[in-house]
Amino acid sequence: QGDFLGTWGQYFLFAALITLGAMLLFSMFSFIVLLIQSFVGYYKFSITKQDGNIQISFGLLEKHTNVFSYDKIKAVKISQGLVQRILGFATVKLEVIGYMDESGNNGADVGVLVPFCKYGEVEEILGKVLPDYTPIEKQTSSVSFFPFVSWFALIFGIIAGIVLIATLSILAVLDVPSYVILSVALAFFGVCTFIIALKALSALLSYQNNGIGISGEKITVYSGGIIRTVTVFMAKHLISVESVTTPLREKHGIASVVMHLKTNEHSNEVKVHIQKGTLSDELEKMQVL
């Protein structure tokens, strides 16, 4: 039992396999439940445009019919999770000024315009129902990759280092066998490597996604990492532009931009990260007082 593949190595391998199996089973169960909920919740989903209003109807066990004034629509959000991006699908939601559900949150589920469609068909669908809110191509892009990972790498590195040193010190004081300490260290490095890889993927996707497109009085914001979001809104709904930077980023002329819109209390911000520092000045010119 002294070598690494002995009792402790088997325990570690069994624990890893059981954890992986449980995650796969949970993912499959969640996916099946999601399919059932989507079918029941959005059964006979339909959109009707008439007399300046948008009517959305859906539901099997509980039928919902919502009517929104075209003039009260603040923004359209096109979102894609990682799996949706791989498969080429998207969800389209409406943001409506003043619309709240009973709990006081903006009615995101009620505001679904298209629950599931091909990403390439989004522009065609919006062209028929909301032609003013068709997205335009990204005209700006993130200008540096490093800021997406710098703070995370610094904070995570410090915390992980302290935890690892403390754990190994305690094991050494307790005179734990060396192969056990090695097993713990390898497991810790494995978990850290997974977290870092996930963060690196998210940062890379954010670096590729973030940007803004402006055409006339329409603004399209591309944001998000693992979950990609395209937000389209009119400049008349823009009430404030905030530039967020650090001394180092300001020195290199880059900043993140937060746009505040006329909307509900819980969803009045649209963010785009690591852009050129003058972008906020350009957006401020489009504000309508």
Side-chain angles (χ1 to χ4, degrees):
Q1 298 180 356
D3 62 46
F4 179 69
L5 295 178
T7 303
W8 284 100
Q10 292 177 7
Y11 287 163
F12 177 74
L13 178 61
F14 292 157
L17 291 176
I18 291 172
T19 302
L20 180 61
M23 291 174 61
L24 290 175
L25 287 175
F26 179 77
S27 299
M28 292 176 61
F29 177 76
S30 300
F31 181 71
I32 293 173
V33 171
L34 180 61
L35 287 179
I36 296 174
Q37 287 180 336
S38 298
F39 175 78
V40 174
Y42 294 112
Y43 181 74
K44 287 190 175 181
F45 189 94
S46 64
I47 307 169
T48 306
K49 181 181 178 182
Q50 187 176 8
D51 298 330
N53 293 326
I54 303 294
Q55 178 177 299
I56 302 174
S57 301
F58 56 89
L60 176 61
L61 300 178
E62 187 177 66
K63 186 175 179 60
H64 295 265
T65 301
N66 299 285
V67 180
F68 303 100
S69 171
Y70 195 100
D71 295 335
K72 292 296 183 180
I73 295 174
K74 179 267 301 184
V76 168
K77 287 193 173 183
I78 306 158
S79 61
Q80 288 182 292
L82 186 59
V83 175
Q84 285 181 307
R85 294 181 65 181
I86 294 172
L87 299 177
F89 290 95
T91 298
V92 185
K93 294 183 179 181
L94 290 178
E95 290 281 344
V96 181
I97 295 176
Y99 191 89
M100 294 280 185
D101 61 17
E102 294 179 354
S103 62
N105 297 315
N106 65 307
D109 292 336
V110 179
V112 169
L113 181 65
V114 183
F116 198 69
C117 67
K118 281 284 188 180
Y119 184 76
E121 298 174 352
V122 170
E123 189 170 344
E124 179 183 354
I125 294 171
L126 289 175
K128 294 178 180 179
V129 184
L130 297 169
D132 293 335
Y133 289 88
T134 55
I136 60 177
E137 291 294 325
K138 186 168 55 175
Q139 298 166 350
T140 72
S141 298
S142 298
V143 295
S144 177
F145 173 75
F146 180 71
F148 285 102
V149 295
S150 56
W151 282 111
F152 174 83
L154 177 62
I155 296 173
F156 181 77
I158 293 174
I159 294 176
I162 293 174
V163 171
L164 179 60
I165 293 173
T167 302
L168 296 182
S169 299
I170 292 172
L171 292 177
V173 169
L174 296 176
D175 199 24
V176 174
S178 60
Y179 61 87
V180 177
I181 296 178
L182 179 61
S183 298
V184 172
L186 289 175
F188 185 85
F189 278 117
V191 172
C192 290
T193 300
F194 176 78
I195 294 174
I196 292 172
L198 189 63
K199 176 59 180 179
L201 174 62
S202 176
L204 179 61
L205 292 175
S206 295
Y207 174 68
Q208 294 175 340
N209 290 341
N210 277 256
I212 289 181
I214 301 174
S215 177
E217 294 298 313
K218 179 168 62 178
I219 301 172
T220 302
V221 178
Y222 294 80
S223 60
I226 299 295
I227 299 177
R228 180 176 187 261
T229 302
V230 180
T231 305
V232 186
F233 61 93
M234 297 299 162
K236 63 183 179 181
H237 294 141
L238 181 65
I239 60 174
S240 175
V241 180
E242 179 183 359
S243 179
V244 181
T245 187
T246 64
L248 182 60
R249 294 180 187 180
E250 185 177 16
K251 183 179 179 180
H252 291 84
I254 58 178
S256 296
V257 179
V258 182
M259 287 152 278
H260 299 269
L261 312 179
K262 294 177 184 176
T263 180
N264 309 316
E265 180 182 356
H266 298 280
S267 61
N268 68 338
E269 293 183 352
V270 181
K271 299 180 182 179
V272 59
H273 297 285
I274 317 303
Q275 305 288 301
K276 60 180 182 180
T278 58
L279 180 59
S280 59
D281 297 331
E282 298 173 20
L283 289 168
E284 285 175 2
K285 297 176 182 178
M286 302 186 69
Q287 291 179 219
V288 177
L289 300 178

